[in-house]
């Protein structure tokens, strides 16, 4: 009887050509009652690996943004709680215990995580990670997500308290310079589109100010410099991303406005 009443957990993962990471990610999530993968049209072995590990896989190749992919995942979820994990992340043992305790409590809240960053083959152990990220929700309260990138959860009704999960989510953020250059283009343009949607202005000096501020914050104030070369590269590429968002917002404004209107 107690087992029937026990709250159930869904772990949801979005994928696109993640054959390098998906096995370790899903194995770290194996404690969930249900694992759902929404794939965006992978051409590698991502889907086959996920299915082989017992995940439910649903392919939605008509990319409409991260928010829409999460919304599609929600429509397949049946758990009482939904915990979102990216394909290049792994749930550590400490975090697993914290998630299981939160689910067992039956509490109504939004839970946040912090990352343990692995970049260029090195875990940045002393890096004080970025702000807490909302990752676990009661499914019944989660109406969906909005936003082009860094999507926002929509939770109608009375505000839910925010609680921090213990343990870190291990994030394999940037494994190579080549990978970082690809992400630089992708996330710079997504970030520019988000700011265009909000009616913000761009420009070179705005980009320099934004990039400089984030580099100082990450590399100095959050101890990125203790990570040696990998720490520098991690912080530098994020700073470049901030710069190019505002450069694109000015010099690519017409194409961004057209994308927002669509």
């Amino acid at each position: 009887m107690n087992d029937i009443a026990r709250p159930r957990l869904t772990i949801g993962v979005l994928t696109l050509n993640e054959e390098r990471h998906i096995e370790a990610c899903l194995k770290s999530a194996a404690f969930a009652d249900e694992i759902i993968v929404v794939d965006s049209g992978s051409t590698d072995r991502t889907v086959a690996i996920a299915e082989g590990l017992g995940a439910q896989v649903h392919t939605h190749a008509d990319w409409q943004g991260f928010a829409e992919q999460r919304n599609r995942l929600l429509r397949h979820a049946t758990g009482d709680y939904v915990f979102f994990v990216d394909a290049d992340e792994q749930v550590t043992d400490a975090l697993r215990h914290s998630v299981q305790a939160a689910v067992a409590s039956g509490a109504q809240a939004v839970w946040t995580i912090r990352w343990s960053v692995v970049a260029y083959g090195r875990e940045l152990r002393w890096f004080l990670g970025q702000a807490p990220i909302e990752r676990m929700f009661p499914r019944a309260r989660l109406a969906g997500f909005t936003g082009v990138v860094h999507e926002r959860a929509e939770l109608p009704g009375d505000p839910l308290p925010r609680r921090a999960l213990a343990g870190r989510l291990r994030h394999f953020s940037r494994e190579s310079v080549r990978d970082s250059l690809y992400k630089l283009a992708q996330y710079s343009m997504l970030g520019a589109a988000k700011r265009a949607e909000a009616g913000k202005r761009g420009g070179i000096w705005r980009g320099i100010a934004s990039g400089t501020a984030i580099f100082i914050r990450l590399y100095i104030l959050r101890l990125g410099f203790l990570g040696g070369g990998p720490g520098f590269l991690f912080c530098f590429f994020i700073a470049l991303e901030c710069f190019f968002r505002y450069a694109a917002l000015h010099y690519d404004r017409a194409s961004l406005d057209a994308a927002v209107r669509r």
Side-chain angles (χ1 to χ4, degrees):
M1 187 68 176
N2 290 336
D3 186 60
I4 295 174
R6 179 178 60 84
R8 298 178 67 254
L9 172 66
T10 297
I11 288 184
V13 185
L14 303 184
T15 58
L16 176 63
N17 294 330
E18 291 284 359
E19 67 178 6
R20 291 179 302 167
H21 301 114
I22 193 63
E23 181 174 358
C25 173
L26 295 186
K27 284 183 175 179
S28 78
F31 64 94
D33 299 286
E34 174 181 70
I35 299 177
I36 296 177
V37 171
V38 166
D39 187 76
S40 299
S42 292
T43 56
D44 62 6
R45 297 179 57 249
T46 298
V47 169
I49 294 170
E51 289 176 338
L53 291 170
Q56 296 181 38
V57 181
H58 304 274
T59 298
H60 295 278
D62 58 326
W63 176 257
Q64 297 178 39
F66 289 102
E68 179 57 23
Q69 292 300 79
R70 291 201 191 279
N71 292 337
R72 288 165 168 171
L73 192 153
L74 276 176
R75 290 195 281 271
H76 298 293
T78 64
D80 299 288
Y81 295 88
V82 181
F83 182 42
F84 290 95
V85 178
D86 289 344
D88 60 355
E89 296 171 342
Q90 296 173 15
V91 181
T92 60
D93 288 341
L95 180 57
R96 171 172 56 83
H97 293 311
S98 184
V99 168
Q100 289 174 316
V103 170
S105 74
Q108 294 293 294
V110 173
W111 284 268
T112 63
I113 60 93
R114 286 187 181 272
W115 278 325
S116 171
V117 176
V118 179
Y120 308 101
R122 177 173 178 178
E123 186 169 2
L124 305 183
R125 296 183 181 278
W126 297 277
F127 179 65
L128 301 177
Q130 294 156 304
I133 306 165
E134 296 178 352
R135 284 296 186 88
M136 193 167 83
F137 309 85
R139 185 174 60 88
R141 287 294 307 272
L142 183 56
F145 289 87
T146 59
V148 178
V149 66
H150 299 148
E151 55 279 4
R152 182 177 66 256
E154 298 294 326
L155 298 154
D158 295 334
L160 292 174
R162 266 56 179 175
R163 298 180 181 175
L165 290 165
R168 295 289 179 113
L169 188 62
R170 187 170 292 118
H171 183 205
F172 291 81
S173 175
R174 297 163 193 270
E175 296 182 278
S176 66
V177 172
R178 179 174 181 169
D179 173 62
S180 298
L181 289 169
Y182 172 78
K183 287 186 176 181
L184 175 62
Q186 181 186 23
Y187 285 102
S188 295
M189 298 309 295
L190 286 170
K194 181 178 180 179
R195 284 156 181 77
E197 189 175 20
K200 293 187 177 182
R201 294 183 299 156
I204 295 297
W205 290 109
R206 286 175 182 267
I208 289 174
S210 176
T212 301
I214 194 67
F215 183 80
I216 291 172
R217 187 188 315 163
L218 297 180
Y219 191 66
I220 298 175
L221 301 181
R222 296 191 176 173
L223 309 184
F225 67 91
L226 293 177
F232 174 84
L233 284 173
F234 177 78
C235 298
F236 184 64
F237 269 109
I238 293 176
L240 284 176
E241 187 180 305
C242 292
F243 168 77
F244 281 113
R245 284 175 191 163
Y246 285 96
L249 192 55
H250 181 80
Y251 290 99
D252 293 9
R253 186 73 198 212
S255 62
L256 291 170
D257 287 340
V260 168
R261 286 195 296 271
R262 287 199 300 271

